[in-house]
Every structure is written in C-alpha cells, then in structure tokens.
C-alpha cells in the first residue's frame, strides 16, 4: 500500500487546532517518530500532532478521519513491537503534552490522569502517603500511562499485582468514529459490557486514549528483596517453579543468566556476583510476619534447589541497586553484543525449566548466543538472541532461533507476548494462536470503534498485506542503549 | 419464530443432544425466566453440542437463554422473547488443574463448590464468594460477574479469567485469551464475557487463575454507634498497610437475620488471611482502629457460616416479596448512598450491607411501596446521580420487574455496547431484552 498523501490544507487545519508549535510536518523532524524502540520496523508519519487537551484530540481525530488518513497514537515511544510508528504514513498523535494528573483520591484509592503522565511520576506523587501505581514496566521512568494502558504493559510486579488491565478502572477514548467516550470510571461496580477491559491492550487500534482512571495500591507493611545465585539458569528455573508450587506469590521473581550478569556488572555495578551462572531477584512484600515466614521458605527452597548463595538487601539503598541492575539489564546488555533480537513469550510457569533447556539447545543448534533476563515467576521469557550485523548470515540465524523459541513456547501451551504486545512484530503470530473465527471476533470488536480501520493500521491483526510494505531500513541496527524490557 | 413446526425443532434438538436431553411443553416450565417459559430446554453434553444447538437456534430464529444451575436466572431484565433455554449443567468436567502453575481449566457448568473441593487439598482456592457460591457455576459467575466480600482482596472473575471458549450466537466456537497468567496477545476477549449475561455468546469453558490459600483465615466483628463512625474506621483500615480479605458493613437488621444476639446500629466484619502471626498482628491493628472509632468487639463463632448468612440476607428471600438493589459508589460515599436510599424509601422495611473496599451496597426492601417500585427506583437513582452511583435491581417480583429498567442508565457508552451486540449477535437471539439499555 502506498503511503498516504497529506494535503497541505489538512496540515493548516491541524495547526488551527493545536497551534503552530503543536504540528511537526517537516520530513526531517518527523523522522524522529519513525519507530518505537524496536527499530527494525520503520514508518515515518507525514505529520506529528502534539495536542494539549481532549478537545484538541477530538478535533484532530475528526479532521484526519474526514481526510481518510491513518492515525497513529503515541505515548513515550518505548514500545518494543513496532507499535507507535506509521507504516502507511498519516498523522501521528503524540500525547506527551497531555501530562496532567487530574485527580488523586487516596481514600478511594484511585487517580485520574491524562495519557502522557509518566508511570513513575504517578507513584512518586503518592508514595510518601504509602501508595503506588502497581504496573511497573522497566521503562516506567519514561513510559506514559496512556501507552501502558494501550499495550497492557506488565513489569516485574505483575506477578503479584497483575498487568495494567487489572489497574485501569476506566478511560476516556476518542474512537475511530470520531466520538468521545468515557468507559468505566472510579465507581467500581457498574453494569454493562467491560469495554474498558478490551480497550486496554488494543494498542491504539480502537482509538486514542485521552484519560485513564487507575487504581492506586496501598504499599505493604514490609518488603524484602533477596538475590540468589545458581550454577545454571535451568537450576534457577527449577527453584522458581518450586517457589510458586509452594503457594508463595512473591511481589516479583526475576531471573538473569550469566551474560546478563556480566553486562550488568560491567555497566551498572549492581553487586551481582560475576561468578554466578544465574541469579534470581526475589522480592516479597506484605504484612511483616508473612514476609518473614515466606522469606524463610524461599531461602529453604533455594537452598534445596542448589542455590550457591542468597543475600538479602540490607537497606533501601542496596535494594534499589539490585533493582537498578534488573531494570537496566537490557540496556546494559547492548555493551557486550553488537546486536540482538529480543523476544517476549510466556509459558506455563511449571514449564520454565523445560523451556530454558530448550532455549539453550535452540541457541546451540542455530550457532547463536542467547542471554536471558526475564519475569520468571509468571513464566514470561525475554531471551535476547545475539548477533553481529557485520557478519553475513548471523542476523538470519538469530531470527531463525527467535522463531524457534516462540514455536517451543507455543508447543508447551504458552503465548507469543506476555507484556510487550503485538504491534507489527507479532501480528502474523496471532494466526498461530487464534483461528480465523477467533480473529473475526476481534475484528468485529474493532469495527465497533474503528469501522474504517484507520486507527493504527497494520498493527495487531495478521494480514497478508501487512508486512511486505514495511521498509526494513533499520533491520539489524543495534538495539539502542538504555532500552527496557 | 419462523421455519419448521415446533415438533420438528424439538426433534432436531434431540438429534443434537439426544432425545432424553430435551424438555418441551410443561416440563420446560421449570426453566421460566420472570414468568416467561421457554418452549424447549436442551442439555448439551459438550462444547460441540452447545455449538450445534445455537446453530440450530440461529437457523430457526429462536430466542435463547443460556443457564447453568439457575442460581441467578432471575437477574437481568424480563426477556423480550424466549424459545430455548440451553443448560450447561452437563458441561461439568474439570479439564485440567496444574497445581504448580496455580491455574485450572473447567467447563462452564462446573460449580464453584466442585472447583474448590478439587483444589482445596492443594491448599489453593478460586477466591470468589458471591451468595450461593457453592452451587453457582463458573459460566454463570462469568456471565453475571457476581462478587462477594472476597473482592476486597482478590478482585472479581475479571481478574481471574485467563481465557475462554465461547459459542457465538450462530454456534461458531471461538477462543480468546490463553491459559498462561500473563498475556498481551491480541484483544482481551474474555473481558467481554464478564457481566455480559450471555448476550454476546455462551461461555463453554474457561481457564482460571488460582490463588494459594492463606495458612490461616480469621474474622472479627465490631459493633459501631452508627454507619458514619464505621465508615471512618473502614477507611482507616484501608489506609493502613493491611491486607484484608473481607471488609463488610452490616446494618442492625442484617445482623439480626444472621442470628447474632448483639444489636448495635452498625457492625463491621473483617477477615484477614495470612500466616498465623500475620493474621494475629493485623487483627490487633484492626482492633485498635475500630476501638478508637468507638467500636466494641462482638463475638463471632463459626465465622464461615456467619458470612454465608450475611450473603443470604443480602440475597432477598422469597416468598417474602423483596426488591434487592445493588448499588455502586465510591467507598467514601457508601453511607451517603445508604442515607439517600433511606430517604427515598421512607416507610419500607429494609436491610443493608456493603462491601466497603469496592463501594458495593446491597439493600433489600420489603413491604408496602413495592407496587410503586418504578417511582421508588427513580427516586433512588436520582439521589445517587450526584455520586455517579449505579443501581441495579438484582431481584424483585416478576410483575414489578417487568415495568422497571433493572440496570439503569449506563450513559453514552450504550451506543458502543449496542454496536458490539449488533456485531456479535446480529439476530439478537441471545437473551433479548435482558441486558442494559434493552440489549
């Protein structure tokens, strides 16, 4: 499909709505918006619009729909799926300037925010009073709550607290029909279809989110963070499965293998033992007495499963450092490989030891190195398949290994994305998990909100026409430093 | 209804599910919904048979109501039409339980009682405790989004439903979600079935997330001088770093129905599940907060039986003609909502209880005034409007309900809801007229 032609008249009309400083139309300036953090997929929008209010978003969407031009919503652009980019050109709506916290109601444990509010910013506002916004993607210091809702972002603490969808009470949306809708809201008990639940995670294909009502969670009485080391990632995975099977749901249960540990220590110096082949970062929170009992059980299980060491963070500072290593691991990893392909897949958590062995076998058979940093507790893998773009054939080998890993995850009852979402990257994969009837039901939902299929086209839904047009300009470029998974 | 003669439809259903699994005529009368009897009741034994029943119904233009054990068959509006009830009670197999994953897969007709009997020995639970929980089916819980006091800690079926298989109106079987605990693969289709009263499809099986059972669960009861003081204490508990499993207000009338001897104007019931030391320490903190709010501790023997009696009291109890309201407001507005209802229904007998963490207020009304339920409901809803409150009639005499909008206004989103219904059930054959806005 050819890129959409934008008439100068439309650009003028957009400037009328959002002001001159809210419209970016120079091709060079639009280049900044050609991809999210998965640079493999590129598509430059013809125009980027930066509205400041719901009214502006509504007016912009109506103008663009009238022109029959695609609309791509974008938050902070930290996605890893080829999501906030414009494969058919068109108008990108960046919501970063809509960054006001409209309401914080601690007594009722909710907040209402504009979509550009930064995830961690909301937690910073309320943590002094003992509350937090539970979804914590590793990008949380820069990613927007609107983007988190659009992609149903996860994060380490999704293990205990759930993904973003479990924390969105309602939202305001400008649909692909050019209508403004409030769905759900701070009052939790309400009749009707749970449209909020399906808009969360729809990746901008139903509309532009303009407000989000979110739950705020009361912080626990106590928190304990421990680092356990193991002789291999398989052994560490067995310990993970044993902890869950014991009926302990830690706040977070993260795993990293040797290459990642080395990268973290070379860059961030989080205090991970460099002689370990695998580490588990285990966080327990809740009532003090419960945390004590669970910490003893976790230590016992780790020991029984062959842990080489187990260290509990002595204070908040040490705890923060252990987490810094985890949250910035993927970025740090960029230091020790030229390039890598990142995967996001989920397996039933009892299959973790089995799948980790398979991942290593796949790496060997494809002649690539695979490093792992992942949300072990909920079976959410993030293998990073390394390659050097300068060496012919390595990229193809890495891609083949990545595909093989996904196949292995599907084969044990898993799924192809746990928290990053579908975007362009996984759209074709949906057909592996869902048949034509399943996908037709999703398409029916889309028609309700976006009958002209102008909202974020070519994302989520598999289609024969989706991929070939994407210029693979960036294929094989190193993943930028400071990327979060 | 058009198409074949009714005798032929019965025979065609029999060909799908077996002749012994179809009821017709008077025998079908036991499955009436709000006084409207279906012409047939079919008991399919598999997802495929559900699919074929619906395909048949679609071809014949039948209006269909899915049902499980019928616990909440009286929820929702009066059917605009009803030809066929499809009962899922024979789809009662537990398909898988992976203890180490804390997940399970069940057919829709499995009851919560059967689920918890199966997983109890593993010290796991499906933490849903609506009224009549043990006999309620998983499919029915999905369709009604029924909740109980456990919602304070564990959320609703929305938070536990990982995946579904649904027979669509035309019989097509579709799946959504998956069986892993974290999933961002495509639209979250299971959410659309939650609370949809079977109007978008018939859930035939579900993948569920389980929770570990706490080592110990303890409950306490505190009597307060009034609901206002009680709410202050409850807000104090919610603002403390405590993990409460239940946090429920019961008024004097409800407390009386539970057989409790004490009769304070308002009582707060709290459950905490933790390790033994954790339950004890948190219980002490709850006690401190309640006492400083002027409360006195009341004895609570056999707490689980008592909790069931609280649920039953909020259920309404035929033959006593009652109007049961489920009101949703912010936690801080629960007492305001209660006072507003009291003002609107002056003179009627009433009892109330509330799940405070989520702002769910149950009011049971009885006595003179029921015959003017429409005006009464109008007054209640008008008084809740400034609180953005919702008010659903859960139960009422059929003749009274027939004249009511049991759901209330759902606002501008109704157009999108209607659009969704038109896409997924274009013939409008699933539970016509029983859902919001006449869907």
């Amino acid at each position: 499909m050819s890129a959409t032609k934008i008439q100068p008249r439309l650009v003028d009309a957009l400037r009328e709505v959002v002001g001159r400083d809210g419209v970016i139309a120079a091709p060079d300036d639009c280049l900044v918006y050609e991809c999210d953090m998965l640079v493999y997929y590129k598509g430059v929008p013809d125009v980027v619009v930066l509205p400041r209010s719901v009214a502006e978003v509504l007016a912009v969407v109506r103008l663009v729909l009238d022109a029959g031009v695609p609309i791509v919503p974008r938050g902070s652009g930290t996605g890893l799926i080829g999501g906030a980019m414009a494969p058919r050109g068109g108008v990108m709506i960046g919501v970063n300037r809509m960054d006001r916290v409209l309401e914080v109601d601690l007594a009722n444990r909710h907040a209402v925010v504009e979509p550009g509010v930064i995830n961690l910013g909301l937690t910073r506002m309320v943590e002094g009073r003992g509350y937090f916004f539970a979804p914590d993607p590793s990008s949380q210091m820069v990613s927007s709550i609107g983007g988190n809702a659009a992609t149903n972002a996860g994060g380490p603490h999704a293990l205990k607290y759930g993904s973003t969808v479990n924390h969105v009470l309602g939202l305001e949306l400008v649909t692909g029909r050019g209508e403004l809708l409030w769905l759900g809201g701070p009052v939790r008990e309400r009749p009707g279809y749970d449209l909020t639940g399906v808009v969360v995670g729809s990746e901008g294909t139903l509309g532009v989110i303009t407000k989000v009502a979110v739950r705020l969670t009361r912080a626990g009485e106590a928190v304990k963070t421990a680092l356990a080391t193991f002789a291999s990632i398989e052994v560490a995975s067995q310990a993970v499965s044993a902890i869950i099977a014991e009926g302990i749901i830690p706040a977070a249960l993260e795993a990293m293998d040797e290459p990642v540990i080395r990268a973290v220590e070379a860059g961030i110096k989080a205090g991970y033992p460099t002689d370990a082949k695998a580490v588990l970062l285990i966080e327990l929170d809740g009532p003090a007495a419960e945390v004590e009992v669970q910490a003893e059980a976790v230590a016992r299980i780790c020991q029984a499963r062959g842990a080489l060491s187990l260290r509990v963070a002595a204070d908040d500072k040490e705890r923060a450092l252990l987490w810094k290593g985890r949250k910035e691991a993927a970025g740090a990893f960029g230091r020790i490989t030229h390039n890598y392909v990142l995967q996001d897949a989920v397996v039933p958590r009892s299959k973790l030891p089995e799948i980790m062995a398979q991942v290593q076998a796949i790496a060997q058979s494809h002649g690539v190195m695979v490093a792992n940093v992942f949300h072990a507790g909920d079976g959410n893998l993030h293998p990073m398949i390394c390659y050097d773009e300068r060496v012919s054939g390595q990229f193809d080998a890495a891609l083949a290994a990545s595909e093989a890993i996904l196949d292995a995850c599907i084969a044990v009852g898993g799924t192809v994305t746990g928290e990053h979402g579908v975007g362009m990257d996984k759209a074709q994969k949906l057909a592996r998990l869902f048949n034509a009837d399943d996908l037709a039901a999703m398409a029916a939902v889309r028609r309700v909100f976006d009958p002209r299929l102008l909202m974020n086209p070519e994302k989520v839904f598999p289609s024969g026409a989706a991929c070939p047009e994407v210029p693979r300009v960036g294929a094989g470029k190193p993943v930028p430093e400071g990327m979060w998974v | 209804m058009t198409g074949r003669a009714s005798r032929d439809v019965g025979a065609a259903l029999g060909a799908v599910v077996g002749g012994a699994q179809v009821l017709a005529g008077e025998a079908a009368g036991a499955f009436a919904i709000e006084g409207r009897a279906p012409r047939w009741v079919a008991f399919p034994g598999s997802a495929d048979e559900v699919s074929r029943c619906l395909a048949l119904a679609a071809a014949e233009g039948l209006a269909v109501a899915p049902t499980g054990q019928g616990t909440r068959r009286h929820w929702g509006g009066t059917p605009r039409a009803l030809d066929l009830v499809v009962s899922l009670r024979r789809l009662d197999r537990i398909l898988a339980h992976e203890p180490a994953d804390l997940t399970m897969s069940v057919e829709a007709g499995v009851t919560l009682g059967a689920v918890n009997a199966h997983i109890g020995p593993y010290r796991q639970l499906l933490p849903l405790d609506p009224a009549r929980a043990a006999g309620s089916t998983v499919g029915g819980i999905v369709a009604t989004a029924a909740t109980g006091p456990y919602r304070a800690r564990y959320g609703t079926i929305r938070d536990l439903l990982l995946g579904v298989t649904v027979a669509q109106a035309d019989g097509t079987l579709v799946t959504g979600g998956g069986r892993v605990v974290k999933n961002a693969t495509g639209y979250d289709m299971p959410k659309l079935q939650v609370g949809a009263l079977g109007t978008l499809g018939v859930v035939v099986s579900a993948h569920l997330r389980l929770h570990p059972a706490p080592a110990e669960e303890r409950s306490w009861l505190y009597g307060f001088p009034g609901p206002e003081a009680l709410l202050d204490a409850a807000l104090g508990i919610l603002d403390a770093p405590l993990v409460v499993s239940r946090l429920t207000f019961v008024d004097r009338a409800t407390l009386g129905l539970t057989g409790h001897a004490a009769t304070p104007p308002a009582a707060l019931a709290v459950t905490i599940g933790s390790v033994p030391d954790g339950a004890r320490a948190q219980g002490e903190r709850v006690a401190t907060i309640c006492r400083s709010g002027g409360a006195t501790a009341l004895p609570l023997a056999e707490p689980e039986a008592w909790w069931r009696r609280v649920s039953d009291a909020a259920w309404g109890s035929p033959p006593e003609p009652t109007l049961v309201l489920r009101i949703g407001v912010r936690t801080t507005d629960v007492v305001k909502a209660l006072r507003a209802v009291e003002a609107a229904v002056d003179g009627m007998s009433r009892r109330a209880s509330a799940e405070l963490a989520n702002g769910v207020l149950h009011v049971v009304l009885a006595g003179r005034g029921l015959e003017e339920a429409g005006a009464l409901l109008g007054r209640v809803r008008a008084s809740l409007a400034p609180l953005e409150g919702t008010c659903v009639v859960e139960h009422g005499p059929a003749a009274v309900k027939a004249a009511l909008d049991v759901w209330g206004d759902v606002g501008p989103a109704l157009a999108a809801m209607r659009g969704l219904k038109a896409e997924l059930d274009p013939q409008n054959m699933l539970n016509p007229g029983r859902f919001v806005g006449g869907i």
Side-chain angles (χ1 to χ4, degrees):
Chain A
M1 208 164 299
S2 62
T4 321
K5 271 272 164 278
I6 299 277
Q7 300 294 329
R9 232 182 15 218
L10 175 60
V11 180
D12 290 342
L14 293 171
R15 286 197 177 108
E16 284 285 309
V17 173
V18 297
R20 297 198 70 81
D21 69 335
V23 174
I24 299 167
D28 282 358
D29 296 336
C30 286
L31 266 182
V32 175
Y33 297 89
E34 69 175 349
C35 59
D36 63 14
M37 294 200 82
L38 182 55
V39 298
Y40 183 91
Y41 295 97
K42 297 207 171 180
V44 190
D46 296 294
V47 183
V48 179
V49 180
L50 306 170
R52 289 186 187 277
S53 70
V54 177
E56 288 184 5
V57 174
L58 187 60
V60 166
V61 168
R62 285 178 175 170
L63 279 172
V64 180
L65 287 175
D66 281 348
V69 169
I71 296 171
V72 179
R74 179 173 169 118
S76 299
T78 57
L80 293 160
I81 55 175
M85 40 74 70
R88 289 192 204 164
V91 175
M92 182 174 277
I93 299 180
V95 297
N96 314 69
R97 301 205 299 185
M98 294 170 68
D99 60 354
R100 290 174 304 165
V101 174
L102 301 173
E103 182 185 342
V104 173
D105 183 342
L106 292 181
N108 290 304
R109 287 154 295 127
H110 74 252
V112 181
V113 302
E114 290 188 328
V117 168
I118 301 304
N119 174 307
L120 193 59
L122 181 58
T123 287
R124 291 279 182 258
M125 274 186 78
V126 295
E127 65 188 352
R129 279 280 284 107
Y131 291 81
F132 65 108
F133 177 54
D136 66 334
S138 295
S139 58
Q140 72 182 139
M141 70 286 277
V142 286
S143 64
S144 68
I145 290 174
N148 296 163
T151 56
N152 191 19
H157 289 80
L159 172 59
K160 177 169 180 177
Y161 295 101
S163 297
T164 302
V165 71
N166 302 103
H167 300 274
V168 175
L169 295 166
L171 44 79
E172 187 188 65
L173 179 80
V174 176
T175 70
R177 289 181 186 270
E179 293 166 345
L180 183 66
L181 272 187
W182 240 120
L183 307 174
V187 171
R188 283 141 166 90
E189 177 66 30
R190 55 177 66 241
Y193 298 136
D194 181 12
L195 299 177
T196 305
V198 78
V199 170
V200 173
S202 63
E203 301 183 17
T205 60
L206 303 180
V208 184
I209 294 171
T210 50
K211 285 192 187 81
V212 194
V214 297
R215 281 178 203 280
L216 296 173
T217 304
R218 182 66 175 89
E221 183 186 10
V223 57
K224 203 163 244 196
T225 307
L227 190 79
T229 64
F230 292 86
S232 75
I233 194 73
E234 289 90 344
V235 178
S237 301
Q238 286 165 11
V240 169
S241 290
I243 290 168
I244 302 294
E246 178 94 357
I248 296 170
I249 306 289
L253 180 42
E254 302 284 305
M256 286 159 273
D257 68 2
E258 188 195 11
V260 177
I261 298 166
R262 268 193 284 121
V264 166
E265 284 313 303
I268 297 151
K269 298 187 175 46
Y272 298 174
T274 45
D275 55 344
K277 302 293 185 200
V279 299
L280 292 180
L281 186 60
I282 308 161
E283 184 155 287
L284 298 162
D285 71 6
E290 195 173 306
V291 168
E292 278 308 314
V293 169
Q294 291 189 341
E296 284 164 24
V298 165
R300 177 168 44 74
I301 292 166
C302 286
Q303 230 151 29
R305 298 281 164 170
L308 304 173
S309 70
L310 186 125
R311 175 163 62 94
V312 178
D315 52 28
D316 282 352
K317 199 176 151 206
E318 190 178 355
R319 183 174 159 256
L321 192 60
L322 290 178
W323 272 112
K324 185 174 160 66
R326 166 60 190 91
K327 296 225 170 185
E328 295 175 17
F333 194 65
R335 294 165 189 268
I336 66 169
T337 178
H338 260 275
N339 319 86
Y340 63 86
V341 173
L342 173 75
Q343 260 310 346
D344 168 39
V346 188
V347 295
R349 35 206 174 185
S350 63
K351 304 286 187 195
L352 210 52
E354 177 186 332
I355 205 74
M356 293 320 295
Q358 280 200 53
V359 167
Q360 293 311 318
I362 289 166
Q364 271 178 9
S365 68
H366 287 76
V368 294
M369 185 179 83
V370 176
N372 291 284
V373 46
F374 61 106
H375 312 302
D378 37 29
N380 188 185
L381 313 184
H382 289 322
M384 297 186 285
I385 302 121
C386 304
Y387 67 96
D388 185 338
E389 62 177 339
R390 299 163 305 184
V391 181
S392 152
Q394 274 206 7
F395 177 57
D396 291 336
L399 272 190
S402 171
E403 292 290 310
I405 289 170
L406 274 189
D407 289 344
C409 290
I410 294 170
V412 297
T415 188
V416 298
T417 166
E419 59 175 8
H420 294 173
V422 178
M424 299 201 75
D425 193 41
K426 298 277 174 73
Q428 299 306 323
K429 297 287 181 309
L430 243 64
R432 295 282 312 278
L433 290 163
F434 298 114
N435 67 27
D437 291 330
D438 306 337
L439 293 168
M442 292 186 202
V445 174
R446 183 175 193 173
R447 280 194 297 274
V448 174
F449 293 90
D450 178 32
R452 296 170 67 190
L453 308 183
L454 287 173
M455 299 306 306
N456 212 4
E458 304 197 12
K459 315 293 166 59
V460 182
F461 288 87
S463 98
C467 265
E469 286 80 23
V470 184
R472 297 192 166 190
V473 190
K477 285 279 164 59
V479 177
E481 226 175 273
M483 184 199 62
W484 308 270
V485 296
Chain B
M1 197 196 100
T2 56
R4 279 181 277 189
S6 87
R7 185 163 36 87
D8 296 340
V9 171
L13 284 168
V16 172
V17 299
Q21 303 297 343
V22 180
L23 301 178
E26 280 188 26
F31 289 78
I33 298 173
E34 302 302 344
R36 187 186 273 273
R39 305 170 69 181
W40 304 277
V41 182
F43 300 87
S46 66
D48 181 57
E49 287 183 9
V50 175
S51 156
R52 286 158 62 203
C53 284
L54 288 173
L56 177 70
E60 298 293 332
L62 306 182
V64 177
T67 190
Q69 289 292 338
T71 312
R72 291 174 178 74
R73 200 179 293 141
H74 59 279
W75 282 26
T78 306
R80 203 154 48 224
L82 178 60
D83 301 305
L84 171 65
V85 165
V86 175
S87 166
L88 283 93
R89 66 164 63 153
R90 288 175 65 216
L91 273 77
D92 61 354
R93 283 161 291 226
I94 290 173
L95 302 171
H97 173 219
E98 304 294 346
D101 291 333
L102 284 161
T103 59
M104 81 187 301
S105 305
V106 298
E107 290 186 326
V110 172
T111 62
L112 292 185
V115 166
N116 282 312
H118 184 88
I119 64 180
Y122 299 88
R123 298 214 49 75
Q124 298 182 353
L125 77 157
L126 183 65
L128 297 165
D129 61 348
R132 315 279 153 105
S136 300
T137 64
V138 169
I141 296 292
V142 171
T144 57
T147 62
Y150 266 165
R151 180 173 179 175
R153 173 167 180 170
Y154 298 105
T156 74
I157 184 71
R158 182 190 197 259
D159 303 295
L160 303 170
L161 188 65
L162 303 172
V164 284
T165 299
V166 174
Q168 290 183 312
D170 65 357
T172 310
L173 289 170
V174 297
T175 67
R179 61 187 174 99
V180 289
V181 295
K182 197 176 184 191
N183 201 343
T185 311
Y187 291 175
D188 194 345
M189 298 299 278
K191 296 282 186 292
L192 291 181
Q193 298 300 330
V194 174
L197 208 72
T199 55
L200 297 178
V202 180
V203 173
V204 295
S205 62
H207 301 294
L208 301 166
R209 163 183 220 139
L210 306 176
H211 280 258
E216 184 170 300
E217 201 167 60
R218 294 179 65 177
S219 293
W220 298 270
L221 186 65
Y222 291 93
F224 280 82
E228 284 79 4
L230 181 148
L231 181 60
D232 280 348
L235 291 171
I237 290 167
L238 290 169
D239 192 40
L242 300 167
V243 181
V244 292
S245 302
R246 300 174 175 125
L247 186 67
T248 298
F249 152 74
V250 292
D251 70 356
R252 196 197 305 257
T254 301
L255 194 60
L257 269 189
T258 67
H260 205 282
T263 55
L268 181 66
V270 186
T271 300
I272 283 174
S274 185
V275 299
D277 280 352
R280 187 184 43 73
Q282 293 183 84
E284 283 166 11
R285 191 138 180 195
V286 167
T288 304
I289 293 169
C290 288
R291 289 210 178 89
S292 69
T296 50
L298 304 176
L300 190 56
E302 296 182 27
E304 290 313 305
W306 183 84
W307 278 108
R308 274 195 299 280
R309 289 197 290 274
V310 172
S311 285
D312 286 348
W315 182 255
S317 46
E320 170 201 23
T322 53
L323 197 67
V324 181
L325 306 182
R326 182 174 76 237
I327 290 166
V329 287
R330 290 167 173 80
T331 297
T332 49
D333 290 336
V334 168
V335 174
K336 265 185 233 163
L338 178 67
R339 297 299 187 209
V341 173
E342 285 171 348
V345 303
D346 193 33
M348 293 181 76
S349 126
R350 58 184 177 265
R351 57 181 183 267
S353 60
E355 293 149 30
L356 294 169
N358 291 289
V360 188
L361 173 66
H362 304 272
V363 182
V364 179
L365 300 169
R368 260 182 340 108
L370 266 192
E371 60 276 11
E372 285 158 28
L376 179 158
L377 198 56
R379 289 196 299 276
V380 170
R381 284 179 175 150
S383 63
L384 292 172
L387 309 177
E388 300 170 46
T390 63
C391 177
V392 172
V393 178
E394 259 185 20
H395 186 223
V400 170
K401 268 181 65 182
L404 301 177
D405 173 5
V406 300
W407 299 103
D409 184 6
V410 296
L414 180 61
M417 293 184 195
R418 286 206 171 111
L420 190 63
K421 172 71 172 178
E423 283 284 351
L424 293 175
D425 179 14
Q427 284 179 264
N428 199 9
M429 54 182 277
L430 295 171
N431 267 335
R434 292 184 65 198
F435 199 53
V436 300
I439 287 173

